[in-house]
Amino acid sequence: MSRAKQVITCKAAICWGVGKAVTVEEIQVDPPKATEVRVKMLCSSVCHTDISSLQGFPHNQFPLALGHEGIGVVESVGDEIRNLKEGDFIIPTYIGECEECENCVSGKTNLCLRHHVRLNGLMPDNTSRLSVRGQRLYHVLSCATWSEYVVVDVNYLVKVDPTINLAYASFISCGFSTGYGACWREAIVETGSTVAVFGLGAVGLGAISGAKMMGANLVKELTGVGVDYCIECTGVASLLTESIESTKMGTGKTIALGIGAELVVPLGVLAIQFGRTLKGSVFGGIKAKSDLSIIAHKCQNQEFPLEELFTHEISLVDINKAFELLKEPNCVKVVIKM
């Protein structure tokens, strides 16, 4: 029997419930169904959303196979897959792009109506290809990248050049691209405009890169007049109103990227009453097919300062070290070698 039709046993980082420790365990990964791809992960990284997932966001389904950033190589494909083959390098995404639905053709949003963000921890058919100790495993969004193997629906994969830097490719699969896209695709920052960025992790550094690419001026200190655009990357509830108030009265626009533990937050009504705009954003407005491939090309050409993000590296079996490293002030991104 072909390996492509067999169940694979491999290691993965698992959480059994809110407040429970993360453990590395052997799991079973089923073969891909018709429109799915089984991927051997090569490199992953840690994003703030992964920390939130341990607290039950975006769903409270456990046991949970962790991780959503990364890059891998196709191990096997389903019977209906024509655009990918064994050996192709891919980046998993949590957002799809059918290029045909009302949203995709509108040019106004990256939120595809057909391949939407998966928030229940399961595949599009509401089942799972992962199991542990005989129990069904859930994943954070579209897949679980802190696993040696994973199955992903083909609509949540982007093919990349095999010579791309693995760590950098992992960074652009979520965090960095979210910030970059906020200036490029969401705010559509004009040349000469002023931009303030709240939070200088991977998302914030991506926002700075996007603002510079668009020809904006970044401010170090807020003035009484305010800035044209503010990119809020922290998800800290108390900073949401402050980020809006940092923009110009009447014309200022704030893009909210960060999501914290509090899903209902206080908001100063006067901050938006005086003509300012607050806009939420998923993946910084980046479209999976149209835009992420452009970012990957720029990454390949070393147009981004991604080396500034790469501060620490661990192996999968030492995954708990990542949570300790993230508490250190000099830690930006932790890379997981698979």
Side-chain angles (χ1 to χ4, degrees):
M1 179 183 292
S2 169
R3 177 180 170 87
K5 302 298 183 182
Q6 296 177 334
V7 173
I8 289 178
T9 297
C10 68
K11 289 183 171 61
I14 305 297
C15 180
W16 288 88
V18 175
K20 300 289 184 63
V22 174
T23 56
V24 176
E25 305 191 32
E26 284 196 343
I27 70 167
Q28 283 66 51
V29 183
D30 291 342
K33 290 189 176 181
T35 62
E36 299 169 357
V37 176
R38 190 158 60 185
V39 176
K40 178 181 180 180
M41 294 305 301
L42 300 174
C43 180
S44 302
S45 48
V46 183
C47 174
H48 183 269
T49 301
D50 299 314
I51 309 302
S52 299
S53 71
L54 302 177
Q55 303 164 353
F57 175 85
H59 58 77
N60 198 33
Q61 302 284 358
F62 294 91
L64 181 67
L66 301 168
H68 68 285
E69 289 187 340
I71 180 173
V73 61
V74 173
E75 181 267 341
S76 58
V77 300
D79 295 337
E80 296 179 15
I81 303 297
R82 300 291 180 267
N83 59 337
L84 288 174
K85 64 183 185 304
E86 182 180 340
D88 283 344
F89 278 55
I90 58 85
I91 291 176
T93 72
Y94 59 89
I95 209 166
E97 182 186 358
C98 73
E99 302 176 293
E100 297 176 349
C101 73
E102 178 184 349
N103 277 8
C104 281
V105 301
S106 71
K108 298 178 180 179
T109 178
N110 65 331
L111 297 177
C112 178
L113 297 176
R114 188 174 298 171
H115 310 305
H116 52 79
V117 180
R118 305 295 306 169
L119 296 176
N120 65 353
L122 297 171
M123 302 292 285
D125 66 355
N126 291 320
T127 63
S128 176
R129 306 295 163 266
L130 311 178
S131 61
V132 60
R133 304 182 198 172
Q135 295 187 47
R136 176 165 72 177
L137 268 171
Y138 296 85
H139 31 76
V140 178
L141 294 166
S142 67
C143 63
T145 61
W146 297 1
S147 175
E148 292 175 326
Y149 287 87
V150 67
V151 176
V152 191
D153 184 274
V154 71
N155 295 293
Y156 297 87
L157 293 173
V158 174
K159 184 179 177 180
V160 295
D161 191 297
T163 63
I164 195 170
N165 181 289
L166 298 182
Y168 299 171
S170 186
F171 298 161
I172 67 172
S173 67
C174 179
F176 180 87
S177 295
T178 298
Y180 187 83
C183 291
W184 176 37
R185 290 306 195 202
E186 204 70 85
I188 314 178
V189 170
E190 301 94 350
T191 300
S193 57
T194 52
V195 177
V197 177
F198 281 36
L200 289 179
V203 178
L205 291 173
I208 290 175
S209 293
K212 287 182 177 179
M213 185 274 293
M214 298 294 281
N217 297 314
L218 290 151
V219 296
K220 293 183 178 179
E221 296 181 4
L222 298 177
T223 65
V225 177
V227 296
D228 296 302
Y229 300 97
C230 179
I231 313 299
E232 206 299 299
C233 309
T234 69
V236 177
S238 59
L239 290 181
L240 186 58
T241 296
E242 188 173 333
S243 66
I244 301 169
E245 291 176 339
S246 73
T247 65
K248 292 178 179 177
M249 186 165 49
T251 61
K253 187 173 186 178
T254 296
I255 306 297
L257 301 176
I259 298 178
E262 302 173 72
L263 297 185
V264 178
V265 300
L267 180 66
V269 176
L270 288 180
I272 58 174
Q273 193 70 45
F274 286 92
R276 300 180 179 97
T277 301
L278 171 64
K279 190 176 192 299
S281 178
V282 173
F283 203 27
I286 293 294
K287 290 189 174 185
K289 292 181 181 178
S290 307
D291 298 330
L292 192 54
S293 57
I294 295 174
I295 292 177
H297 182 71
K298 288 179 176 292
C299 174
Q300 191 79 7
N301 291 338
Q302 300 181 352
E303 295 181 33
F304 302 134
L306 294 172
E307 68 280 356
E308 296 179 11
L309 304 183
F310 192 163
T311 56
H312 296 83
E313 183 178 67
I314 61 169
S315 61
L316 178 62
V317 294
D318 294 323
I319 188 61
N320 281 292
K321 288 184 180 178
F323 306 124
E324 295 303 314
L325 289 170
L326 288 171
K327 298 175 184 178
E328 298 182 4
N330 66 334
C331 180
V332 182
K333 293 293 283 187
V334 179
V335 172
I336 305 169
K337 291 179 65 177
M338 307 302 293

